[in-house]
Amino acid sequence: NAGVTQTPKFRVLKTGQSMTLLCAQDMNHEYMYWYRQDPGMGLRLIHYSVGEGTTAKGEVPDGYNVSRLKKQNFLLGLESAAPSQTSVYFCASSSPDRLMVGETQYFGPGTRLLVL
Amino acid sequence: DQQVKQNSPSLSVQEGRISILNCDYTNSMFDYFLWYKKYPAEGPTFLISISSIKDKNEDGRFTVFLNKSAKHLSLHIVPSQPGDSAVYFCAATGGFQKLVFGTGTRLLVSP
């Protein structure tokens, strides 16, 4: 099992450009999440999905869109990138029942995005 | 509004000694608390968790203590090892497994 994978690992964008970050999981998890990590801020939830075809806003959703067309994939889109979106982006997945027995979210390795 | 706070950005400990990482929270609706460990250029990995109905959970060298009245939890690592050097995030959840993270504490264990 690869677990949670993220593509690309690193990207440089110019202000105003668009891009899509891809997250894939092979654990058949229902729930998927996108976080961003900034210095001194911890991880903050951008959007999440509780199942194929569903998405919801997290703590910091502005400037991002997401889609969950397939259960195993969760895409994060930046339509018009801004320097404030320079960050490290983490995708995670989890199973609804697993948290009750101490299991939790599995994270990908991250995508480092620099917006100039 | 920081609902989960880790007030110590860094901690240095000698190998073999105890490491104590602290976390405070403000939302009494949180029902599950977790600690994650993160190495550079990697995603966070789950370390240990505790339900709000318990006050202690132990897993090998790692123990988490929860004091609900003080809205405080701590992670104890005994004995500390150089491989424990990482950033530790405290997190809490109250629904749909949406985690609220603290800002992290960087632990350095020196030989």
Side-chain angles (χ1 to χ4, degrees), chain B residues 14-109:
Chain B
Q14 282 194 315
E15 182 178 6
R17 308 293 284 265
I18 184 171
S19 296
I20 300 177
L21 293 89
N22 294 303
C23 179
D24 297 296
Y25 63 96
T26 58
N27 190 340
S28 58
M29 299 301 291
F30 288 144
D31 57 8
Y32 221 86
F33 302 90
L34 308 96
W35 285 93
Y36 280 82
K37 179 178 180 179
K38 185 183 178 307
Y39 292 117
E42 294 183 10
T45 55
F46 171 71
L47 188 58
I48 191 169
S49 64
I50 187 167
S51 166
S52 60
I53 62 174
K54 296 187 175 182
D55 55 18
K56 177 182 175 182
N57 188 28
E58 193 171 353
D59 184 2
R61 296 186 297 113
F62 303 91
T63 303
V64 56
F65 296 93
L66 175 63
N67 182 335
K68 284 188 67 177
S69 61
K71 293 191 175 67
H72 177 83
L73 65 156
S74 61
L75 174 68
H76 292 211
I77 306 173
V78 183
S80 301
Q81 300 173 354
D84 296 329
S85 297
V87 177
Y88 289 79
F89 290 98
C90 170
T93 182
F96 282 121
Q97 303 183 25
K98 289 190 292 180
L99 293 175
V100 179
F101 282 86
T103 53
T105 296
R106 184 178 303 275
L107 175 64
L108 177 61
V109 181

Side-chain angles (χ1 to χ4, degrees), chain A residues 31 33 35 37 40-43 45 48 50 90 94-97 99-102 104-105 107-109, chain B residues 1-2 32 34 36 38 41-46 49 87 89 93 96-104:
Chain A
Y31 295 178
Y33 314 78
Y35 293 89
Q37 185 195 6
M41 299 291 288
L43 282 82
L45 183 65
Y48 66 100
V50 300
F90 290 100
S94 67
S95 181
D97 59 320
L99 188 62
M100 302 306 290
V101 293
T104 185
Q105 297 182 17
F107 283 80
Chain B
D1 178 24
Q2 193 79 28
Y32 221 86
L34 308 96
Y36 280 82
K38 185 183 178 307
E42 294 183 10
T45 55
F46 171 71
S49 64
V87 177
F89 290 98
T93 182
F96 282 121
Q97 303 183 25
K98 289 190 292 180
L99 293 175
V100 179
F101 282 86
T103 53

Side-chain angles (χ1 to χ4, degrees), chain A residues 56-110:
Chain A
K57 294 180 180 179
E59 182 185 355
V60 288
D62 293 342
Y64 304 96
N65 56 74
V66 289
S67 63
R68 183 96 181 270
L69 299 180
K70 294 182 179 180
K71 185 177 183 179
Q72 64 268 33
N73 295 338
F74 196 28
L75 279 64
L76 178 71
L78 286 73
E79 290 187 348
S80 179
S84 61
Q85 294 178 303
T86 293
S87 187
V88 181
Y89 292 86
F90 290 100
C91 176
S93 71
S94 67
S95 181
D97 59 320
R98 299 293 274 175
L99 188 62
M100 302 306 290
V101 293
E103 293 289 301
T104 185
Q105 297 182 17
Y106 293 85
F107 283 80

